[in-house]
Amino acid sequence: MLNIVIFGAPGSGKGTQSEFIVEKYGLNHISTGDVLRAEIKKGSELGKQAKEIMDKGQLLPDDVIINILAATLDSFKESKGCIFDGFPRTIPQAEALKKMLAERGQQVNVMLDLDVPEDELMVRLIKRGQQTGRADDNEATIKNRLNVYHSQTQPLVEWYKKEGLYSHIQGLGSLETIFGDICKAIDGK
Ligand code: ADP
């Protein structure tokens, strides 16, 4: 089993690199953001709750997102492992993931921190908003998401360093170069 946490600020390229990783290593991909956007599209109760929070650039409550994650994880049959994209985003979520995997005889093997400068993140997210119309990719919400990232999510860097799982990845450069660095980090574990 190979379990990878792909980490980084909004706009750091987690989704794009996750697709490459899935293709090369044959893993399942869990993007909590994608799961929530699918719920919004369906018009479910969860989707309604999620939309309100996501439009403000805030995080969903830990218990809600942890339950979603457990259900998604258990839906995979004969998995080779998983890439966790957009989760964990808080320390309680990281602790829950550790416990959830341990209960299944597994663990996180590596945490990849895609590091991109803040001005580049803004440029990428505004461009994505223009191209895709994604509701939370507007300037005001982006600023909130970056603030939430710094206050609630970035502390996970220290948490994963203590766990001995942290890998820094330079997130600026060509997609191929970044993916090459990611493969080295994964294969070195
Ligand atoms: P990005 O990384 O660009 O912000 P995501 O698609 O990962 O995009 O997340 C979009 C939004 O979904 C977040 O701003 C948040 O509101 C919600 N969300 C996604 N994952 C989580 C999570 N693990 N915990 C709480 N909220 C989440």
Side-chain angles (χ1 to χ4, degrees), residues 29 32 50-51 85 90 94:
H29 179 204
T32 41
K51 180 161 175 44
D85 163 9
T90 63

Side-chain angles (χ1 to χ4, degrees), residues 26 41-42 44 73 113 119 121 129 132 167 183-184:
K41 228 175 165 184
K42 272 197 256 168
S44 67
L73 201 57
D113 179 18
D119 48 353
L121 295 171
T132 67
S167 234
C183 294
K184 273 185 221 149

Side-chain angles (χ1 to χ4, degrees), residues 8-12 14 31-34 36-37 50 53-62 65-66 69 85-90 93 125 128 134 136-137 141 145 148:
S12 57
K14 301 185 293 290
S31 158
T32 41
D34 285 352
L36 296 172
R37 280 183 288 276
I53 296 172
M54 288 164 84
D55 282 350
K56 290 188 212 142
Q58 292 168 354
L59 297 184
L60 269 88
D62 285 331
I65 208 87
I66 288 165
L69 197 95
D85 163 9
F87 183 97
R89 262 175 149 96
T90 63
Q93 290 182 19
L125 290 166
R128 185 170 75 185
R134 197 174 123 169
D136 58 350
D137 284 341
T141 307
R145 283 156 66 205
V148 166

Side-chain angles (χ1 to χ4, degrees), residues 62-99:
D62 285 331
D63 58 338
V64 173
I65 208 87
I66 288 165
N67 285 337
I68 293 177
L69 197 95
T72 312
L73 201 57
D74 285 335
S75 73
F76 299 140
K77 305 269 179 281
E78 306 200 5
S79 176
K80 285 190 195 169
C82 209
I83 171 140
F84 298 93
D85 163 9
F87 183 97
R89 262 175 149 96
T90 63
I91 302 231
Q93 290 182 19
E95 284 165 349
L97 178 62
K98 187 176 177 180
K99 185 160 168 263

